[in-house]
Amino acid sequence: MKEKIKVAPSILSADFANLKDEVIKVEKSLSDAIHLDIMDGHFVPNLTMGPKVVAAINRTTDMFLDVHLMIYNPFDYIEKFVEAGADLITFHFEATEDVEDTINYIKKCGVKAGLAFNPETAFSMATKYLEKCDLVLFMSVHPGFGGKKFIPSVLEKIKLAKNLKEDMSLKYDIQVDGGINLETGSRCKKMGANFLVAGTYLFGEKDMKKAVLDLKNC
Ligand code: DX5
Ligand code: ZN
């Protein structure tokens, strides 16, 4: 059976002066989630938003909030983002030495847990955590900014994650984030990704609903 593909527009590419309208636009696009990039200026060389903005978005929509933490010490911020309305909290494997505790605590707080990997990080290092993950996220650009070029070496990692998922009879989503459009999205799907995040592509199209559907069908 063909796997259902999920799509999440990244709010990083939205017009922040009209955030409410942009969130409503995402809701109307029939996307599966809204992807919220949280950056601390240390783990990545950029700053974005904190729990207060996430809470404001949560008041605007009933959509599934996919919170992507690009911050050091993610453990310390879990409660704040759960209170703000996160449905999924993904943190970076490279950002903490307490990967297991962080996953456990996210789940204890009643939301889904995702583990993210930078382009140069080997996925095989994380096999022991996979049973606990609801999602693995492969960065297909160096994190920090939207609009960057897709790094094709991610494709092999997606394939490995897909094979491991099958071999271990696990259920985690395989999400890809960075430089996703119809061409790169299709390549990721062929390798086994079932969850695509896109900022520049989806916000750059006049008809976001059509663009989301195109991404699901590419
Ligand atoms: C990058 C972010 C991405 C970004 C994707 O660090 O994690 O979510 O917004 O944007 P595009 O699709 O423009 O690469
Ligand atoms: Zn992201």
Side-chain angles (χ1 to χ4, degrees):
M1 203 178 76
K2 224 175 143 194
E3 192 168 13
K4 190 180 169 286
I5 302 297
K6 298 184 214 179
V7 169
S10 166
I11 204 75
L12 198 59
S13 296
D15 173 5
F16 274 61
N18 293 302
L19 197 50
K20 188 172 181 178
D21 290 345
E22 295 283 67
V23 171
I24 291 168
K25 180 170 146 182
V26 174
E27 193 169 71
K28 287 186 175 156
S29 75
L30 303 183
S31 297
D32 300 275
I34 184 160
H35 184 85
L36 308 175
D37 287 310
I38 313 299
M39 304 186 187
D40 66 353
H42 293 278
F43 182 70
V44 288
N46 196 6
L47 288 159
T48 53
M49 55 195 155
K52 199 168 173 180
V53 177
V54 174
I57 291 172
N58 191 42
R59 286 196 298 277
T60 309
T61 182
D62 289 331
M63 285 194 78
F64 185 95
L65 300 189
D66 164 10
V67 173
H68 176 193
L69 299 182
M70 283 160 276
I71 63 174
Y72 280 120
N73 305 318
F75 189 97
D76 299 346
Y77 297 89
I78 294 167
E79 279 177 32
K80 292 259 180 292
F81 284 104
V82 171
E83 280 165 21
D87 295 294
L88 159 71
I89 297 182
T90 300
F91 66 98
H92 272 257
F93 181 71
E94 307 85 2
T96 174
E97 292 188 348
D98 298 322
V99 171
E100 186 147 11
D101 288 349
T102 306
I103 295 174
N104 287 342
Y105 195 50
I106 293 172
K107 298 188 83 156
K108 194 171 166 221
C109 289
V111 302
K112 292 192 168 178
L115 191 55
F117 300 85
N118 279 339
E120 51 286 303
T121 305
F123 174 62
S124 49
M125 290 162 72
T127 315
K128 63 175 177 179
Y129 305 114
L130 294 180
E131 281 184 8
K132 295 190 167 178
C133 291
D134 296 297
L135 176 145
V136 295
L137 161 56
F138 294 115
M139 290 307 303
S140 37
V141 297
H142 295 291
F145 301 90
K148 298 213 285 190
K149 200 167 176 279
F150 180 82
I151 300 171
S153 59
V154 72
L155 295 168
E156 280 309 310
K157 281 200 269 186
I158 296 171
K159 196 168 155 191
L160 182 60
K162 168 81 171 169
N163 289 343
L164 276 175
K165 179 175 160 174
E166 282 170 6
D167 292 350
M168 296 166 75
S169 301
L170 298 176
K171 289 204 166 73
Y172 53 79
D173 282 321
I174 302 177
Q175 188 181 59
V176 193
D177 182 11
I180 296 295
N181 53 34
L182 294 183
E183 192 257 323
T184 55
S186 161
R187 290 165 76 190
C188 292
K189 280 161 60 178
K190 280 195 189 106
M191 289 298 182
N194 71 315
F195 201 156
L196 303 176
V197 174
T200 306
Y201 167 62
L202 291 175
F203 278 93
E205 292 292 301
K206 258 207 187 86
D207 185 346
M208 187 187 275
K209 188 173 171 183
K210 180 179 178 301
V212 167
L213 202 62
D214 287 347
L215 210 46
K216 286 185 180 228
N217 295 327
C218 69

